[in-house]
Amino acid sequence: AQTIHQWPVAEIKAVGSPLSLGCTIKGKSSPNLYWYWQATGGTLQQLFYSITVGQVESVVQLNLSASRPKDDQFILSTEKLLLSHSGFYLCAWSPDRGPNERLFFGHGTKLSVL
Amino acid sequence: AQKVTQTQTSISVVEKTTVTMDCVYETRDSSYFLFWYKQTASGEIVFLIRQDSYKKENATVGHYSLNFQKPKSSIGLIITATQIEDSAVYFCAMRSMSNYNVLYFGSGTKLTVEP
């Protein structure tokens, strides 16, 4: 069975500090990977997607970057946090590239920027 | 451009009744895929049901079904025999063939099922 693990569960960070969030998928080779951001009480906004190791595509510009250093790992980061970065970050995966594929979400990371 | 709109911010129903949640979408593509996801109070998000634009038959999974009205660009979620555990936020989402690596979500509808 496939599993998705996100870390950390929660972070409290200062404005201007760096950030690194991670996501690992086990039990599925070459998954499509996604990062989503959700403001408190808000919708889910797709940030990045990756269909293969080393390749990441940006969907929206929020002063964040993403990398896929391994087939099963997806990293979201920034060198300088903004207050607007606060929210809930969710990693997701899908087994194939098909447009009808469902997404499987991780449990998310709650980020508070103070 | 793709857009998904859920106008119902919150709905409250009594247990064991039927509830319908509305969703309208915008896309220029003739082929697209519509999804409903559920987010529980813990933040967990799970897929519920999908409708492919080329299928005329409404999708049904368990006590979830869809009311797909293509001419109105509408995809309503129907939950029959609601249970307390159905209390959650429900998101409608769309993916178009021309940009199928991006899934666009609506703003969500909070459902409260009361005893």
mmCIF file of all heavy atoms in Angstrom, chain B residues 26-51:
data_model
loop_
_atom_site.group_PDB
_atom_site.id
_atom_site.type_symbol
_atom_site.label_atom_id
_atom_site.label_comp_id
_atom_site.label_asym_id
_atom_site.label_seq_id
_atom_site.Cartn_x
_atom_site.Cartn_y
_atom_site.Cartn_z
ATOM 1 N N GLU B 26 -16.084 26.980 -14.951
ATOM 2 C CA GLU B 26 -15.842 27.671 -16.219
ATOM 3 C C GLU B 26 -14.615 27.065 -16.868
ATOM 4 O O GLU B 26 -13.563 26.933 -16.238
ATOM 5 C CB GLU B 26 -15.594 29.167 -15.990
ATOM 6 C CG GLU B 26 -16.777 29.930 -15.447
ATOM 7 C CD GLU B 26 -16.417 31.380 -15.164
ATOM 8 O OE1 GLU B 26 -15.514 31.909 -15.828
ATOM 9 O OE2 GLU B 26 -17.054 31.962 -14.255
ATOM 10 N N THR B 27 -14.742 26.737 -18.126
ATOM 11 C CA THR B 27 -13.609 26.275 -18.911
ATOM 12 C C THR B 27 -13.949 26.396 -20.382
ATOM 13 O O THR B 27 -15.114 26.288 -20.768
ATOM 14 C CB THR B 27 -13.252 24.814 -18.583
ATOM 15 O OG1 THR B 27 -12.130 24.406 -19.371
ATOM 16 C CG2 THR B 27 -14.418 23.866 -18.835
ATOM 17 N N ARG B 28 -12.935 26.611 -21.196
ATOM 18 C CA ARG B 28 -13.144 26.672 -22.643
ATOM 19 C C ARG B 28 -12.913 25.309 -23.284
ATOM 20 O O ARG B 28 -13.192 25.125 -24.462
ATOM 21 C CB ARG B 28 -12.199 27.699 -23.257
ATOM 22 C CG ARG B 28 -12.504 29.126 -22.838
ATOM 23 C CD ARG B 28 -11.565 30.105 -23.486
ATOM 24 N NE ARG B 28 -11.856 31.483 -23.071
ATOM 25 C CZ ARG B 28 -11.175 32.537 -23.453
ATOM 26 N NH1 ARG B 28 -10.141 32.400 -24.260
ATOM 27 N NH2 ARG B 28 -11.503 33.748 -23.036
ATOM 28 N N ASP B 29 -12.407 24.390 -22.503
ATOM 29 C CA ASP B 29 -12.144 23.053 -23.023
ATOM 30 C C ASP B 29 -13.435 22.265 -23.196
ATOM 31 O O ASP B 29 -14.356 22.393 -22.384
ATOM 32 C CB ASP B 29 -11.223 22.286 -22.080
ATOM 33 C CG ASP B 29 -9.794 22.758 -22.179
ATOM 34 O OD1 ASP B 29 -9.570 23.862 -22.689
ATOM 35 O OD2 ASP B 29 -8.896 22.012 -21.738
ATOM 36 N N SER B 30 -13.440 21.429 -24.211
ATOM 37 C CA SER B 30 -14.600 20.562 -24.418
ATOM 38 C C SER B 30 -14.475 19.286 -23.601
ATOM 39 O O SER B 30 -15.461 18.582 -23.401
ATOM 40 C CB SER B 30 -14.733 20.216 -25.908
ATOM 41 O OG SER B 30 -13.546 19.579 -26.357
ATOM 42 N N SER B 31 -13.265 19.007 -23.134
ATOM 43 C CA SER B 31 -13.043 17.810 -22.338
ATOM 44 C C SER B 31 -12.446 18.216 -20.998
ATOM 45 O O SER B 31 -11.425 18.899 -20.941
ATOM 46 C CB SER B 31 -12.096 16.862 -23.076
ATOM 47 O OG SER B 31 -11.890 15.690 -22.320
ATOM 48 N N TYR B 32 -13.090 17.778 -19.933
ATOM 49 C CA TYR B 32 -12.629 18.166 -18.600
ATOM 50 C C TYR B 32 -13.139 17.133 -17.591
ATOM 51 O O TYR B 32 -13.967 16.263 -17.923
ATOM 52 C CB TYR B 32 -13.105 19.580 -18.225
ATOM 53 C CG TYR B 32 -14.576 19.810 -18.481
ATOM 54 C CD1 TYR B 32 -15.528 19.537 -17.497
ATOM 55 C CD2 TYR B 32 -15.010 20.304 -19.712
ATOM 56 C CE1 TYR B 32 -16.865 19.736 -17.735
ATOM 57 C CE2 TYR B 32 -16.368 20.504 -19.957
ATOM 58 C CZ TYR B 32 -17.283 20.228 -18.973
ATOM 59 O OH TYR B 32 -18.623 20.425 -19.212
ATOM 60 N N PHE B 33 -12.629 17.257 -16.372
ATOM 61 C CA PHE B 33 -12.938 16.267 -15.344
ATOM 62 C C PHE B 33 -13.277 16.999 -14.056
ATOM 63 O O PHE B 33 -12.567 17.913 -13.650
ATOM 64 C CB PHE B 33 -11.748 15.322 -15.162
ATOM 65 C CG PHE B 33 -11.379 14.637 -16.439
ATOM 66 C CD1 PHE B 33 -10.536 15.264 -17.355
ATOM 67 C CD2 PHE B 33 -11.899 13.399 -16.757
ATOM 68 C CE1 PHE B 33 -10.220 14.649 -18.558
ATOM 69 C CE2 PHE B 33 -11.580 12.779 -17.956
ATOM 70 C CZ PHE B 33 -10.751 13.414 -18.861
ATOM 71 N N LEU B 34 -14.332 16.570 -13.424
ATOM 72 C CA LEU B 34 -14.835 17.236 -12.231
ATOM 73 C C LEU B 34 -14.741 16.298 -11.042
ATOM 74 O O LEU B 34 -15.050 15.109 -11.158
ATOM 75 C CB LEU B 34 -16.285 17.663 -12.467
ATOM 76 C CG LEU B 34 -16.469 18.589 -13.680
ATOM 77 C CD1 LEU B 34 -17.916 18.623 -14.119
ATOM 78 C CD2 LEU B 34 -15.961 19.981 -13.359
ATOM 79 N N PHE B 35 -14.334 16.836 -9.919
ATOM 80 C CA PHE B 35 -14.087 16.024 -8.729
ATOM 81 C C PHE B 35 -14.757 16.675 -7.511
ATOM 82 O O PHE B 35 -14.930 17.894 -7.457
ATOM 83 C CB PHE B 35 -12.582 15.940 -8.435
ATOM 84 C CG PHE B 35 -11.737 15.431 -9.559
ATOM 85 C CD1 PHE B 35 -11.378 16.262 -10.615
ATOM 86 C CD2 PHE B 35 -11.265 14.130 -9.567
ATOM 87 C CE1 PHE B 35 -10.583 15.809 -11.660
ATOM 88 C CE2 PHE B 35 -10.474 13.663 -10.596
ATOM 89 C CZ PHE B 35 -10.134 14.493 -11.643
ATOM 90 N N TRP B 36 -15.043 15.841 -6.550
ATOM 91 C CA TRP B 36 -15.440 16.327 -5.231
ATOM 92 C C TRP B 36 -14.518 15.685 -4.192
ATOM 93 O O TRP B 36 -14.264 14.473 -4.229
ATOM 94 C CB TRP B 36 -16.887 15.975 -4.908
ATOM 95 C CG TRP B 36 -17.879 16.904 -5.548
ATOM 96 C CD1 TRP B 36 -18.448 16.780 -6.783
ATOM 97 C CD2 TRP B 36 -18.415 18.114 -4.985
ATOM 98 N NE1 TRP B 36 -19.300 17.831 -7.024
ATOM 99 C CE2 TRP B 36 -19.306 18.662 -5.937
ATOM 100 C CE3 TRP B 36 -18.239 18.780 -3.768
ATOM 101 C CZ2 TRP B 36 -20.016 19.838 -5.712
ATOM 102 C CZ3 TRP B 36 -18.943 19.946 -3.547
ATOM 103 C CH2 TRP B 36 -19.824 20.471 -4.519
ATOM 104 N N TYR B 37 -14.033 16.559 -3.288
ATOM 105 C CA TYR B 37 -13.188 16.115 -2.192
ATOM 106 C C TYR B 37 -13.818 16.572 -0.887
ATOM 107 O O TYR B 37 -14.541 17.569 -0.834
ATOM 108 C CB TYR B 37 -11.785 16.719 -2.306
ATOM 109 C CG TYR B 37 -10.927 16.108 -3.387
ATOM 110 C CD1 TYR B 37 -11.039 16.522 -4.720
ATOM 111 C CD2 TYR B 37 -9.986 15.121 -3.090
ATOM 112 C CE1 TYR B 37 -10.247 15.967 -5.714
ATOM 113 C CE2 TYR B 37 -9.181 14.568 -4.080
ATOM 114 C CZ TYR B 37 -9.330 14.987 -5.385
ATOM 115 O OH TYR B 37 -8.551 14.436 -6.368
ATOM 116 N N LYS B 38 -13.450 15.872 0.168
ATOM 117 C CA LYS B 38 -13.973 16.174 1.499
ATOM 118 C C LYS B 38 -12.799 16.446 2.432
ATOM 119 O O LYS B 38 -11.822 15.687 2.443
ATOM 120 C CB LYS B 38 -14.777 14.973 1.992
ATOM 121 C CG LYS B 38 -15.166 14.966 3.450
ATOM 122 C CD LYS B 38 -15.848 13.643 3.773
ATOM 123 C CE LYS B 38 -16.178 13.529 5.245
ATOM 124 N NZ LYS B 38 -16.833 12.213 5.548
ATOM 125 N N GLN B 39 -12.903 17.548 3.200
ATOM 126 C CA GLN B 39 -11.863 17.844 4.192
ATOM 127 C C GLN B 39 -12.479 17.781 5.581
ATOM 128 O O GLN B 39 -13.376 18.549 5.919
ATOM 129 C CB GLN B 39 -11.244 19.227 3.961
ATOM 130 C CG GLN B 39 -10.085 19.535 4.902
ATOM 131 C CD GLN B 39 -9.360 20.823 4.548
ATOM 132 O OE1 GLN B 39 -9.954 21.787 4.104
ATOM 133 N NE2 GLN B 39 -8.045 20.843 4.761
ATOM 134 N N THR B 40 -11.963 16.881 6.397
ATOM 135 C CA THR B 40 -12.483 16.721 7.743
ATOM 136 C C THR B 40 -11.904 17.766 8.676
ATOM 137 O O THR B 40 -11.000 18.527 8.313
ATOM 138 C CB THR B 40 -12.151 15.319 8.284
ATOM 139 O OG1 THR B 40 -10.720 15.187 8.339
ATOM 140 C CG2 THR B 40 -12.714 14.233 7.386
ATOM 141 N N ALA B 41 -12.406 17.795 9.886
ATOM 142 C CA ALA B 41 -11.961 18.792 10.859
ATOM 143 C C ALA B 41 -10.473 18.677 11.173
ATOM 144 O O ALA B 41 -9.819 19.659 11.537
ATOM 145 C CB ALA B 41 -12.788 18.673 12.134
ATOM 146 N N SER B 42 -9.921 17.505 11.010
ATOM 147 C CA SER B 42 -8.494 17.295 11.270
ATOM 148 C C SER B 42 -7.618 17.825 10.141
ATOM 149 O O SER B 42 -6.401 17.873 10.259
ATOM 150 C CB SER B 42 -8.217 15.803 11.462
ATOM 151 O OG SER B 42 -8.427 15.103 10.237
ATOM 152 N N GLY B 43 -8.258 18.187 9.025
ATOM 153 C CA GLY B 43 -7.516 18.687 7.872
ATOM 154 C C GLY B 43 -7.312 17.660 6.783
ATOM 155 O O GLY B 43 -6.851 17.991 5.690
ATOM 156 N N GLU B 44 -7.641 16.436 7.071
ATOM 157 C CA GLU B 44 -7.464 15.373 6.095
ATOM 158 C C GLU B 44 -8.378 15.575 4.897
ATOM 159 O O GLU B 44 -9.557 15.882 5.042
ATOM 160 C CB GLU B 44 -7.761 14.015 6.731
ATOM 161 C CG GLU B 44 -7.547 12.838 5.813
ATOM 162 C CD GLU B 44 -7.919 11.526 6.458
ATOM 163 O OE1 GLU B 44 -8.585 11.547 7.511
ATOM 164 O OE2 GLU B 44 -7.550 10.474 5.897
ATOM 165 N N ILE B 45 -7.831 15.403 3.705
ATOM 166 C CA ILE B 45 -8.593 15.581 2.463
ATOM 167 C C ILE B 45 -8.676 14.243 1.739
ATOM 168 O O ILE B 45 -7.646 13.594 1.498
ATOM 169 C CB ILE B 45 -7.924 16.619 1.547
ATOM 170 C CG1 ILE B 45 -7.874 17.980 2.236
ATOM 171 C CG2 ILE B 45 -8.691 16.734 0.222
ATOM 172 C CD1 ILE B 45 -7.130 19.050 1.459
ATOM 173 N N VAL B 46 -9.895 13.857 1.401
ATOM 174 C CA VAL B 46 -10.090 12.590 0.697
ATOM 175 C C VAL B 46 -10.959 12.797 -0.534
ATOM 176 O O VAL B 46 -11.871 13.618 -0.543
ATOM 177 C CB VAL B 46 -10.715 11.516 1.608
ATOM 178 C CG1 VAL B 46 -9.777 11.149 2.729
ATOM 179 C CG2 VAL B 46 -12.048 11.972 2.160
ATOM 180 N N PHE B 47 -10.658 12.037 -1.548
ATOM 181 C CA PHE B 47 -11.427 12.055 -2.792
ATOM 182 C C PHE B 47 -12.745 11.321 -2.582
ATOM 183 O O PHE B 47 -12.790 10.280 -1.918
ATOM 184 C CB PHE B 47 -10.608 11.367 -3.881
ATOM 185 C CG PHE B 47 -11.403 10.946 -5.088
ATOM 186 C CD1 PHE B 47 -11.746 11.867 -6.057
ATOM 187 C CD2 PHE B 47 -11.801 9.625 -5.244
ATOM 188 C CE1 PHE B 47 -12.469 11.482 -7.172
ATOM 189 C CE2 PHE B 47 -12.528 9.233 -6.355
ATOM 190 C CZ PHE B 47 -12.863 10.160 -7.317
ATOM 191 N N LEU B 48 -13.826 11.882 -3.161
ATOM 192 C CA LEU B 48 -15.127 11.244 -3.031
ATOM 193 C C LEU B 48 -15.622 10.650 -4.343
ATOM 194 O O LEU B 48 -15.976 9.471 -4.409
ATOM 195 C CB LEU B 48 -16.159 12.267 -2.551
ATOM 196 C CG LEU B 48 -15.960 12.870 -1.162
ATOM 197 C CD1 LEU B 48 -17.035 13.908 -0.891
ATOM 198 C CD2 LEU B 48 -15.933 11.791 -0.095
ATOM 199 N N ILE B 49 -15.642 11.455 -5.402
ATOM 200 C CA ILE B 49 -16.326 11.047 -6.614
ATOM 201 C C ILE B 49 -15.874 11.916 -7.772
ATOM 202 O O ILE B 49 -15.413 13.049 -7.573
ATOM 203 C CB ILE B 49 -17.862 11.148 -6.394
ATOM 204 C CG1 ILE B 49 -18.638 10.436 -7.489
ATOM 205 C CG2 ILE B 49 -18.294 12.595 -6.204
ATOM 206 C CD1 ILE B 49 -20.128 10.282 -7.150
ATOM 207 N N ARG B 50 -15.992 11.364 -8.988
ATOM 208 C CA ARG B 50 -15.528 12.068 -10.185
ATOM 209 C C ARG B 50 -16.555 11.961 -11.304
ATOM 210 O O ARG B 50 -17.237 10.940 -11.426
ATOM 211 C CB ARG B 50 -14.221 11.442 -10.654
ATOM 212 C CG ARG B 50 -13.568 12.167 -11.813
ATOM 213 C CD ARG B 50 -12.403 11.350 -12.374
ATOM 214 N NE ARG B 50 -12.841 10.375 -13.356
ATOM 215 C CZ ARG B 50 -12.437 9.095 -13.374
ATOM 216 N NH1 ARG B 50 -11.628 8.644 -12.460
ATOM 217 N NH2 ARG B 50 -12.860 8.285 -14.321
ATOM 218 N N GLN B 51 -16.619 13.014 -12.125
ATOM 219 C CA GLN B 51 -17.466 12.995 -13.314
ATOM 220 C C GLN B 51 -16.626 13.413 -14.510
ATOM 221 O O GLN B 51 -16.012 14.485 -14.503
ATOM 222 C CB GLN B 51 -18.642 13.973 -13.162
ATOM 223 C CG GLN B 51 -19.573 14.055 -14.348
ATOM 224 C CD GLN B 51 -20.522 12.860 -14.429
ATOM 225 O OE1 GLN B 51 -21.026 12.389 -13.425
ATOM 226 N NE2 GLN B 51 -20.794 12.394 -15.637
#
